Amino acid sequence: MAKNALITGITGQDGAYLSKFLLEKGYNVYGFLARRGSDTLWRLRYLNILDDIKIIDGDLLDLSSLIRALELSKADEVYNLAAQSFVGTSWQQPILTTQVTGFAVVNVLEAIRIVNDKIRFYQASTSEMFGKTTETIQCENTVFHPRSPYGAAKLFAHYLTINYRESFNIFGCAGILFNHESPIRGIEFVTRKVTDAVAKIKYGKQNKLYLGNIDAQRDWGYAKDYVEAMWLMLQQDVPDDYVIATGKTSSVREMCEIAFSYADLNYQDYVEIDHKLYRPAEVERLLGNPKKAKEKLRWEAKTSMKELIELMTEADIKRVRDNKPEF
Ligand code: NDP
Ligand code: GDP
């Protein structure tokens, strides 16, 4: 019989790719949708899957809506991807970030305990929890030192997931995912900000690109590859936590070089540093060790950072060339 999955954060980058992946596996996919004033379903349309998803209204801060969603969907698996996910905003809205990204995870876990404690649960943890790490490469046992309200909220949710596993035997897994991107990544994140700018500069719609700390280094992978790891975690015999990463790191500067070169441009002619874009506390360098995921889940990243940035640049160039709306 087909399994039922409930995805929170269905309208986000990962929610869209995970939905597509699960639909292709034959799942009934239920999307937990926070109603907004504007249309947020564009990613599901972009991947041509909106009609295949059963939408249930709710908000992560509203326990009753989560309980109703679990009852309606008869979920076998819950993927908690909803969050205020942008580090920069977490300093402007620290309370909201703490509530949605951190505290609300107890709502999801409580809803599971109340409705059906056999539901398998995936929590979207993050490499931002490592923050000011002293380890050159980070794995599941690396000490955490979050550097933003976002990182701190995610760390709370991470430990809560482990706590519910240890206290109530909930099948809860936390995927410690390093940065992952795609053509439908939010435009506020640096990769997409760069690829969008390259396309606009190429077609004369923008002159300069203002960035903050371009020496920061990230382990960037492709979101489409990473959602498979989320699913694999919930198919194991025992719940556990996994680092999901490519095992390679690059600077924002190197990423710019790749994106601009793809459009036959030199990034040095267009990129300007704006110190207002520096963060109050920076995560200077992240590099993940995906060894455990490779050994236990048989998962590894298929797409290199260069391939990723090129496919994103190409998608933005086509969009700007065809005068398609910005997203
Ligand atoms: P996005 O920002 O693209 O998506 C976040 C989703 O959360 C959106 O669907 C948003 O809905 C939803 N949401 C926000 N607030 C609420 C709420 N109160 N109730 C219900 N839904 C809400 O994130 P990504 O897809 O990139 O990431 C998915 C998850 O993985 C997030 O938790 C993120 O923090 C985490 N993560 C992401 C990484 C990455 O590199 N992408 C790395 C590591 C972890 P709406 O659009 O309506 O606001
Ligand atoms: P994060 O790792 O989740 O914070 O993902 P981002 O894509 O937002 O940022 C990655 C890195 O790029 C961080 O170290 C930022 O400081 C750096 N960065 C430099 N300039 C910018 C910028 O203009 N926007 C963003 N979002 N990040 C920038």
Side-chain angles (χ1 to χ4, degrees), residues 215-228:
D215 294 316
Q217 291 173 272
R218 289 292 183 274
D219 179 331
W220 279 296
Y222 188 15
K224 205 172 163 187
D225 294 346
Y226 283 33
V227 295
E228 183 181 11

Side-chain angles (χ1 to χ4, degrees), residues 86-87 128 179 188-190 193 210-213 216 218 252 277 279 282-283:
F86 184 46
V87 170
E128 287 292 319
N179 297 48
E188 63 276 28
F189 294 91
V190 74
K193 182 174 172 180
Y210 293 94
L211 293 175
N213 176 15
R218 289 292 183 274
V252 173
L277 294 170
R279 292 174 171 181
E282 179 62 286
V283 173

Side-chain angles (χ1 to χ4, degrees), residues 85-88 91 126-128 148 150 178-181 185-194 209-218 220 251-253 255 272-274 277-279 281-286:
S85 74
F86 184 46
V87 170
W91 280 287
T126 168
S127 53
E128 287 292 319
S148 61
Y150 169 77
F178 282 61
N179 297 48
H180 47 281
E181 323 289 314
R185 178 67 145 151
I187 205 111
E188 63 276 28
F189 294 91
V190 74
T191 51
R192 190 71 211 299
K193 182 174 172 180
V194 169
L209 169 61
Y210 293 94
L211 293 175
N213 176 15
I214 60 172
D215 294 316
Q217 291 173 272
R218 289 292 183 274
W220 279 296
S251 65
V252 173
R253 186 192 300 277
M255 183 267 292
E272 305 255 328
I273 302 302
D274 179 351
L277 294 170
Y278 274 63
R279 292 174 171 181
E282 179 62 286
V283 173
E284 294 291 349
R285 183 176 185 272
L286 290 172

Side-chain angles (χ1 to χ4, degrees), residues 229-263:
M230 299 176 186
W231 173 77
L232 281 168
M233 286 178 216
L234 296 198
Q235 312 314 309
Q236 303 305 303
D237 293 334
V238 281
D240 207 346
D241 311 316
Y242 297 88
V243 159
I244 300 298
T246 69
K248 297 205 168 66
T249 193
S250 322
S251 65
V252 173
R253 186 192 300 277
E254 287 163 330
M255 183 267 292
C256 286
E257 210 169 340
I258 291 170
F260 279 86
S261 306
Y262 188 78

